[in-house]
Amino acid sequence: MRKFFGPLALTLCAALTMSFASCSSGSSDSEEKTGPTAVTTESPENVAVTTYTVTFDSDGGSEVASQTVESGKTATKPADPAKSGEKTSYAFLGWYNGDSAFDFASTIESDVTLKAKWIEGFAKVTGTTIKGDETWTPSSDVFVSGRSLTIADLYVCDHEVTQSEYKKYCKYVSSGPRDTYGKGDNFPAYYVNWYDAVVYCNLRSMDEGLTPCYTLGEETDPSKWSGILSTTTGDVTKYCGPSRQSSAWDGGIIMNTTANGYRLPTEAEWEYIAREGKTSGTTYSGSNTIGDVAWYGKNSGSKSHEVKTDKLTGTDSANALGIYDMSGNVWEWCWDWNNGIVHSDTGASGASSGNNRVRRGASWFNSAYLCEVAYRYSYDPSERYNDVGFRLVRSSQ
């Protein structure tokens, strides 16, 4: 009996083993879809995501957090950083990847470091819309009842153009700065007529790779303007405008406010800046006490002073926008003709011609009354005086 069960048991085991093997090797269609081959093609939610880091180098400005961005997606433009220095303004121009402004609509395909670009000595001033129904203190002859206009955002130089800055591109004619009226690199330029100021704006714009704002006969290069005066020493040529009033320049110079180059402020822009961006009702730019903010007839010692210096009271004389000397030191040329205020929304007076160009702010020579933010005066654009200079602005587009 034991001899019979031994072989039979082995036979049954072999049969069962073959049966199980047969079941394991066979599979249905549904089993193929969930087998090992399907696992290697992972579902979308399990696919590994590639990310990159966008780093923001504020170049001395306030810290900006880096961002982790999925490949093929865009970074989020952060709030503008801020940067300040002792008596020096910095206007933020944007984020740059190398020499190119970064486009936040572009997709991220690798790690990238973006660097802040600043313009030193300029403050960004946020524009506004003047409705024409405001009350101004002191009363304004520019922001008049019923005159609505829009003032765009601006980069505004925090100081009057200095003698050092001016002589890099332009020359004086018969008279230049002298010790009697204030002489030195950091003193404001003067003996500068309206034409000279326009020439300077375009020459500096060209030198810095910006689009010039002024055109004469479809030409933006002042060295090619008819009537330009020049002096060449070695291989350096410097320029200035005509010394007599020029009908060709008066009627032919056109200003493009959308260009990113340097220009003179319109009269409305100048007064808006002097009034600290519509936030102030002070008589002088930054204070009701003239001695805090202005070099004028009673405290100047009968001469100009270095830009951005403390007045005799020892207080910081910048206005709330961080801009100096909009009252006193030297008069500042504006773009406009002084032919009354036209109800124009251009920000300028609107007059297309005239005999005199507007100047604002008064000087070291004048009484307190002339230094008020609302006071208007004008000169023949060809005249050069020992207390007349200018200030630069740039459009922020």
Side-chain angles (χ1 to χ4, degrees), residues 195 216 242 244-253 337 353-354 357 381:
Y195 303 136
L216 179 60
R244 294 183 178 180
Q245 192 155 5
S246 168
S247 59
W249 285 44
D250 291 342
I253 293 178
W337 292 106
S353 63
R357 294 280 184 173

Side-chain angles (χ1 to χ4, degrees), residues 1 10 69 103 148 173 178 181 188 190 204 231 277 284 300 313 330 355 370 374 378 396:
M1 193 70 172
L10 291 173
V69 181
D103 180 5
S148 61
V173 185
R178 59 188 72 174
Y181 306 123
Y190 52 88
R204 180 169 170 178
T231 299
Y284 312 101
S300 67
T313 59
V330 293
N355 295 314
L370 276 64
S378 62
S396 173

Side-chain angles (χ1 to χ4, degrees), residues 26-100:
S27 60
S28 66
D29 291 342
S30 61
E31 287 173 329
E32 288 180 0
K33 293 179 181 178
T34 58
T37 303
V39 172
T40 60
T41 306
E42 299 176 357
S43 59
E45 59 268 20
N46 292 326
V47 173
V49 175
T50 302
T51 61
Y52 298 108
T53 300
V54 180
T55 304
F56 297 93
D57 176 0
S58 63
D59 190 24
S62 55
E63 185 176 351
V64 177
S66 61
Q67 297 179 18
T68 300
V69 181
E70 292 184 16
S71 175
K73 294 190 176 181
T74 60
T76 300
K77 185 177 181 180
D80 292 351
K83 185 176 181 178
S84 61
E86 185 177 358
K87 292 189 176 181
T88 301
S89 299
Y90 292 86
F92 176 69
L93 297 180
W95 294 105
Y96 278 68
N97 185 7
D99 294 329
S100 301

Side-chain angles (χ1 to χ4, degrees), residues 213-287:
C213 291
Y214 297 110
T215 303
L216 179 60
E218 300 185 358
E219 177 60 64
T220 59
D221 184 350
S223 69
K224 299 177 182 179
W225 290 357
S226 175
I228 190 79
L229 303 178
S230 64
T231 299
T232 301
T233 303
D235 59 352
V236 177
T237 302
K238 296 183 180 182
Y239 301 88
C240 69
S243 295
R244 294 183 178 180
Q245 192 155 5
S246 168
S247 59
W249 285 44
D250 291 342
I253 293 178
I254 298 171
M255 181 173 70
N256 176 12
T257 58
T258 64
N260 66 355
Y262 299 103
R263 61 179 177 84
L264 299 175
T266 66
E267 185 179 15
E269 289 170 341
W270 189 98
E271 187 167 323
Y272 177 74
I273 298 161
R275 291 179 182 268
E276 302 170 291
K278 200 181 174 182
T279 64
S280 171
T282 58
T283 302
Y284 312 101
S285 187
S287 178

